[in-house]
């Protein structure tokens, strides 16, 4: 199954999504904000991302733009 980055500033929603994806056989990687999400992407191994677009600080659209701007591995 896939390694899925779950990015959401709502801790309860993030935990629920991680539990659900884990139950489905995926490996969830939680991130509470945009900076943590980018750090997880930098570490590698992420195959899919569920991204909250409305977060304080570094918002989801900016995170998405930075992920897309990364050179292909």
């Amino acid at each position: 199954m896939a390694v899925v980055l779950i990015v959401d500033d709502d801790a309860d929603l993030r935990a629920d999504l991680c539990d659900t994806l884990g139950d489905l056989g995926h490996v969830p990687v939680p991130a509470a904000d945009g900076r943590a999400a980018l750090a997880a992407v930098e570490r590698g191994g992420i195959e899919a991302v569920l991204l909250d677009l409305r977060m304080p600080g570094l918002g989801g659209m900016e995170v998405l733009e930075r992920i897309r701007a990364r050179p292909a591995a």
Side-chain angles (χ1 to χ4, degrees):
M1 292 290 178
V3 178
V4 183
L5 178 60
I6 309 296
V7 188
D8 202 303
D9 58 319
D10 182 321
D12 292 333
L13 179 57
R14 188 174 61 248
D16 287 346
L17 288 169
C18 286
D19 289 345
T20 299
L21 287 174
D23 290 346
L24 293 171
H26 298 287
V27 178
V29 177
D33 58 34
R35 297 212 184 282
L38 292 174
V41 169
E42 285 295 320
R43 286 190 297 273
I46 301 298
E47 298 174 276
V49 179
L50 291 177
L51 178 61
D52 181 3
L53 296 180
R54 295 184 179 158
M55 294 183 293
L58 189 59
M61 290 305 295
E62 187 171 350
V63 171
L64 179 60
E65 288 171 5
R66 289 186 186 190
I67 291 172
R68 285 182 172 171
R70 291 174 36 85

